[in-house]
Amino acid sequence: MNDLQKIQVMLVDDHNVVRSGLATFLRAYEDMELVGEAKNGVEAVNLCHKTKLDVILMDLMMPEMDGIAATRAILADYPDIKIIAMTSFEDEELVQGVLAAGAISYLLKNVTSDELAKAIREAVSGRSTLSPEAARVLVQATRPTKQPLFDLTEREREVLNLVVQGNSNQLIADTLVISVATVKAHISRILSKLQVSSRAEAIAYAIKNKIISL
């Protein structure tokens, strides 16, 4: 394979050791060529103006300009460049942020050499690669979130209020002049409506969403 057919790759990472390791990795594949290195987003954007690139391996947490901002800036001028986000974190905001900025793939830095090589080739062909962790974050993000407004009855709100205050089932029963069995039934329905599994979770959720008065 001659140089014209090689995938032109740039590394963007603020850690010299990481860049060195990735550079060594690239040299092991005949169809890839390292054509640039940058230690922050600003350098990466500037290098894009000077170098023909196919793929950028982009770190996200960097000084001066982070990977998300750099991805957005680069793709605004060079939409054909494929950017693969590489990070040590599976934070939901990072995953969603860099993919929304236009990155084609999201990988964690514990990826194997063969997996990374495959992801680079897939990116050139326009196909995305997501680490299992990133895919899980995206799946969780698409699930309906709990809503703070539930159809608690007035009595259930009274029971929940007393639960938040730390009262036992017996004390709640005495306060509301109902049986302990009825209190347990109310609490069971409250947990179901709030989509939580314990009194502690119900208390935390009720306080956070202000669905009871303290």
Side-chain angles (χ1 to χ4, degrees):
M1 179 175 291
N2 60 47
D3 288 347
L4 292 178
Q5 296 173 298
K6 289 186 177 182
I7 301 171
Q8 308 293 294
V9 183
M10 178 166 74
L11 308 177
V12 185
D13 197 295
D14 61 330
H15 290 97
N16 294 335
V17 172
V18 173
R19 292 201 312 277
S20 176
L22 289 172
T24 300
F25 144 76
L26 287 172
R27 284 193 286 270
Y29 295 89
E30 293 184 352
D31 60 335
M32 300 178 196
E33 181 179 12
L34 175 61
V35 295
E37 295 185 39
K39 62 177 179 292
N40 58 55
V42 174
E43 289 186 5
V45 172
N46 290 335
L47 277 173
C48 285
H49 299 321
K50 305 173 183 177
T51 308
K52 182 183 180 302
L53 295 167
D54 297 310
V55 175
I56 297 175
L57 301 183
M58 179 77 74
D59 186 26
L60 297 185
M61 308 297 286
M62 298 180 292
E64 295 191 50
M65 178 186 285
D66 63 34
I68 294 176
T71 295
R72 188 178 297 111
I74 290 168
L75 293 180
D77 290 332
Y78 306 97
D80 292 334
I81 293 177
K82 308 302 182 184
I83 297 181
I84 297 176
M86 293 192 67
T87 179
S88 303
F89 307 96
E90 54 186 274
D91 179 80
E92 179 179 328
E93 290 187 6
L94 288 178
V95 176
Q96 292 182 310
V98 76
L99 293 179
I104 193 170
S105 299
Y106 190 108
L107 301 174
L108 294 188
K109 289 181 179 178
N110 60 6
V111 66
T112 67
S113 295
D114 286 342
E115 288 171 337
L116 180 53
K118 181 180 178 182
I120 291 172
R121 297 183 185 115
E122 293 283 286
V124 171
S125 299
R127 292 186 290 269
S128 298
T129 304
L130 295 178
S131 69
E133 297 86 353
R136 184 173 62 249
V137 166
L138 290 178
V139 168
Q140 292 172 342
T142 60
R143 290 175 179 167
T145 56
K146 297 174 185 176
Q147 298 299 319
L149 299 178
F150 290 87
D151 58 335
L152 297 180
T153 65
E154 187 61 33
R155 178 47 62 100
E156 286 167 351
R157 288 179 180 274
E158 290 177 333
V159 171
L160 180 57
N161 199 34
L162 291 169
V163 168
V164 170
Q165 293 174 20
N167 293 288
S168 65
N169 288 351
Q170 185 62 62
L171 283 174
I172 294 172
D174 293 343
T175 300
L176 299 178
V177 193
I178 56 178
S179 69
V180 172
T182 300
V183 172
K184 290 180 179 179
H186 282 310
I187 292 176
S188 178
R189 286 194 294 272
I190 290 168
L191 296 183
S192 177
K193 289 182 179 181
L194 297 185
Q195 302 175 44
V196 296
S197 58
S198 68
R199 291 168 78 107
E201 288 184 21
I203 291 170
Y205 191 71
I207 294 174
K208 177 181 177 181
N209 292 286
K210 302 177 181 179
I211 58 177
I212 52 89
S213 56
L214 296 175

